[in-house]
Amino acid sequence: MSRDPGPGEGTEPRRWIGDRSRGESERPRKDADRPRKDERPRKDDRSRKDAERPRRDERPRREVVTSPRTMAPRHPRYPVTREIDEQTRLGEVYMRSLVRTQFRLALFVCTVLGCVVVGLPLMFLLMPELRAVHLVGIPLPWAVLGGLIYPAFVIGAWLYVRQAERNERHFAELVDRAR
C-alpha cells in the first residue's frame, strides 16, 4: 500500500504490494481517486466497503517481496575448461574422474588379454586331447596361437578404442553441462 507523506516528511517511494494467494497486486491510488479532506465518506459507502472487505482473520497475509542486493555485482562463472587448464582443485577432480574411468577400462582389457594369452597355453598343456586335434593338417594349438588369436586381438583393440572415445565424449558433455 502507499503511504502519503505527512507534514514535514520527505516523499517516500510508493510500493506495490502483491497478494500471493490471489496473484493480485494493489497499486497506489491516484490523486483523483482519493477523497478530498473536506469531503466525508457517506454511511452507505462505508457499509458497502465493509461488506466487500473480508474479515481480518480470513484475509490472506500480504508480503512485500524485495531483494536487498539488487545492485550487487554478479560473480562471473568460470568455465570448467578454465578450471582444468589452471589445475585448480575442481579441475583436478574432473581430470581424476576421466583418468580413473580410462584406467578401469585399460585394466579390464589387460585382464582379458592376460587371461587369453596365459589361459590358452595352460588349457593346451592341461588337456592333452586338444593337442591331438588337427585343423587342415595343422595341430589346433598352433592354429589358435599362431593365427586365430590375432583377429581376436584386433577386434578387442577396436572395442577398446571405441569405448575410450565414448568415455571422452561423456567427459566432454559433463564439462559442457557444468558451465
Side-chain angles (χ1 to χ4, degrees):
M1 297 172 94
S2 68
R3 185 176 149 235
D4 290 330
E9 292 182 353
T11 59
E12 180 178 303
R14 295 182 179 190
R15 295 183 181 164
W16 289 59
I17 300 175
D19 187 352
R20 285 185 150 177
S21 64
R22 296 182 191 169
E24 298 174 355
S25 62
E26 196 176 273
R27 66 175 178 80
R29 297 189 311 185
K30 295 180 183 175
D31 291 335
D33 297 338
R34 290 194 182 118
R36 294 185 183 150
K37 289 183 181 180
D38 54 296
E39 287 182 14
R40 289 198 167 166
R42 289 180 270 168
K43 272 191 169 183
D44 54 343
D45 286 342
R46 280 189 203 153
S47 61
R48 185 176 39 175
K49 285 182 183 176
D50 290 339
E52 291 174 0
R53 182 183 306 156
R55 293 189 340 207
R56 274 195 174 262
D57 55 337
E58 295 175 7
R59 202 179 308 170
R61 184 172 174 235
R62 295 180 180 219
E63 296 180 18
V64 176
V65 181
T66 61
S67 173
R69 298 188 63 197
T70 55
M71 300 305 287
R74 292 186 179 171
H75 296 289
R77 292 191 63 182
Y78 297 112
V80 176
T81 53
R82 183 172 175 186
E83 298 281 347
I84 293 170
D85 291 340
E86 293 179 357
Q87 297 179 352
T88 62
R89 289 185 64 117
L90 179 62
E92 288 177 11
V93 169
Y94 276 108
M95 286 308 297
R96 197 175 309 130
S97 71
L98 175 65
V99 169
R100 245 188 233 145
T101 303
Q102 297 292 44
F103 184 67
R104 270 189 249 126
L105 177 63
L107 275 179
F108 174 74
V109 169
C110 287
T111 304
V112 170
L113 179 68
C115 288
V116 169
V117 168
V118 173
L120 281 175
L122 278 175
M123 183 179 72
F124 290 128
L125 181 69
L126 297 175
M127 298 181 172
E129 61 271 359
L130 288 177
R131 283 186 273 168
V133 177
H134 290 280
L135 284 175
V136 192
I138 302 172
L140 183 63
W142 282 98
V144 170
L145 292 173
L148 297 178
I149 200 164
Y150 293 110
F153 285 164
V154 169
I155 291 171
W158 177 75
L159 289 173
Y160 170 75
V161 169
R162 187 172 157 210
Q163 185 64 38
E165 288 174 350
R166 184 179 298 157
N167 289 343
E168 289 175 1
R169 273 194 310 273
H170 177 70
F171 177 75
E173 289 172 4
L174 177 71
V175 168
D176 286 341
R177 233 182 309 158
R179 285 185 182 179

